[in-house]
Amino acid sequence: MARTTDTIVRFAGVEKTYDGQSLVVKSLDLEIARGEFLTLLGPSGSGKTTTLMMLAGFEQPTKGEIFLEGRPVSRLPPWKRDIGMVFQNYALFPHMTVAENVAFPLGVRRLPKAEIDRRVARALAMVRLEGFENRRPAQLSGGQQQRVALARALVFEPKLVLMDEPLGALDKQLRESMQYELKHLHEKLGLTFVYVTHDQGEALAMSDRIAVFNRGRIEQIGSPEDVYERPETPFVADFVGASNLIGAATAQALLGRAVPFAIRPERVRLGEGGDGEVTARGRVAAVHYLGAARRIDVELDAGGRIMVLHPSGAAGGEPRIGETVAIAWPEGAMRELHELPEPVAR
């Protein structure tokens, strides 16, 4: 579903500290459009989960305000925000059946039984769990439990669905399958999803936009393609996918410009450069087999090391460790990098 320009959530100058000294979230200004799938991506301790918990109402901002559909909600308790929440551990009640777990938010809202039954059946159909109504969580697989948690978050038809690392406990194959199921469900329902993860591949596969968090602030926000192809800071270039970070001294020797830049390994090839390409020379330091490709690490004569993704079985074979090689990449594939300045205190 195409993202609209209608803002459903706005963070205005939001900060959070737990000890009164260090800020976990710094001067956060963020708008979330109605119907979009926004992922908060970053390493542990970057502020992404705290941001989600403040939006959910489980934490309060130390400073600033959060608006939901134009209404300030920072002092509003979670159950009054009309927000669905899915946690990493699913938080299902083990003594309840699947249907009872999904019905729980509706019972709290005191809906009539006939309406509860109708909504539970609809929510379970959304996540393809018809026929599982009478099972208990212990009788379900991890993927099925995750779907029950999602159905419970959707059953009361919230404006907004928040997910905190919901696929983190699943194995790789199931996690990847659930990524596409979640994205399909998002497109089908047209709801607003805000998703927290530290998994770059997960963020790239599902999101309309990605907000990359580092040290309590957003270093870059944009579409998956923007963030991957056009990183703006050294952190984003290094954290989102594999990247070669070329220091200012090496750039000066190669390009005559002392500005650090990033180049993705898949954009670098073995051989002399042609028109519009940069050529560098160096010695092969390591070769790593990755299946469809080999990662070749080259120690540059100009200083530093660069990774090359070389297709397995490519014509000409692969260079050996210690061999001198030429490598090349398109000038247009390089991204100049700039450190983000510290936010000014308000």
Side-chain angles (χ1 to χ4, degrees), residues 10 51 54 72 146 208 229-230 252 317 332:
R10 181 165 68 91
T51 297
M54 288 191 290
Q146 196 270 351
D208 294 323
E229 298 288 352
R230 293 173 283 279
Q252 176 71 54

Side-chain angles (χ1 to χ4, degrees), residues 4-203:
T4 71
T5 56
D6 179 16
T7 298
I8 186 171
V9 173
R10 181 165 68 91
F11 288 79
V14 170
E15 295 185 346
K16 179 65 178 180
T17 178
Y18 292 105
D19 60 9
Q21 297 180 355
S22 59
L23 289 174
V24 180
V25 174
K26 305 174 183 176
S27 301
L28 177 61
D29 294 305
L30 172 64
E31 292 189 357
I32 302 171
R34 189 182 305 276
E36 82 167 314
F37 195 127
L38 175 70
T39 295
L40 312 183
L41 173 68
S44 178
S46 61
K48 62 188 188 300
T49 295
T50 299
T51 297
L52 193 79
M53 291 299 135
M54 288 191 290
L55 178 53
F58 299 117
E59 297 285 354
Q60 288 190 345
T62 306
K63 185 178 179 182
E65 185 55 81
I66 301 171
F67 297 88
L68 180 59
E69 295 191 314
R71 180 177 58 149
V73 295
S74 292
R75 300 297 178 263
L76 204 63
W79 58 89
K80 291 187 176 181
R81 298 192 185 196
D82 194 23
I83 292 175
M85 187 84 194
V86 181
F87 298 95
Q88 180 175 354
N89 63 359
Y90 315 131
L92 300 177
F93 298 111
H95 62 287
M96 291 184 180
T97 65
V98 166
E100 289 167 343
N101 266 283
V102 175
F104 184 79
L106 304 178
V108 171
R109 289 167 172 79
R110 300 185 182 279
L111 269 67
K113 184 179 185 307
E115 178 66 8
I116 291 176
D117 291 345
R118 183 188 71 79
R119 290 202 189 188
V120 167
R122 179 172 178 264
L124 289 176
M126 283 181 198
V127 297
R128 297 187 292 111
L129 282 178
E130 305 99 321
F132 287 77
E133 292 84 355
N134 296 320
R135 297 194 190 184
R136 298 190 188 277
Q139 297 173 297
L140 304 176
S141 69
Q144 289 167 341
Q145 290 183 47
Q146 196 270 351
R147 294 217 258 299
V148 174
L150 182 58
R152 186 178 59 186
L154 298 173
V155 73
F156 61 94
E157 300 171 2
K159 304 182 185 78
L160 187 63
V161 179
L162 311 183
M163 302 187 188
D164 185 19
E165 306 258 13
L167 308 183
L170 305 180
D171 62 58
K172 183 177 183 295
Q173 186 174 1
L174 182 55
R175 187 167 68 245
E176 290 176 354
S177 172
M178 288 303 302
Q179 289 172 15
Y180 293 104
E181 288 197 29
L182 280 176
K183 184 59 179 173
H184 173 72
L185 195 59
H186 166 256
E187 292 171 349
K188 178 181 176 182
L189 298 178
L191 296 175
T192 307
F193 281 18
V194 182
Y195 191 97
V196 162
T197 186
H198 64 272
D199 186 309
Q200 304 95 324
E202 200 166 273

Side-chain angles (χ1 to χ4, degrees), residues 258-286:
V259 178
F261 69 89
I263 180 74
R264 296 292 182 187
E266 63 268 24
R267 304 304 299 274
V268 185
R269 62 178 180 81
L270 296 173
E272 298 284 346
D275 291 342
E277 291 189 313
V278 176
T279 298
R281 286 175 171 76
R283 182 185 63 84
V284 175

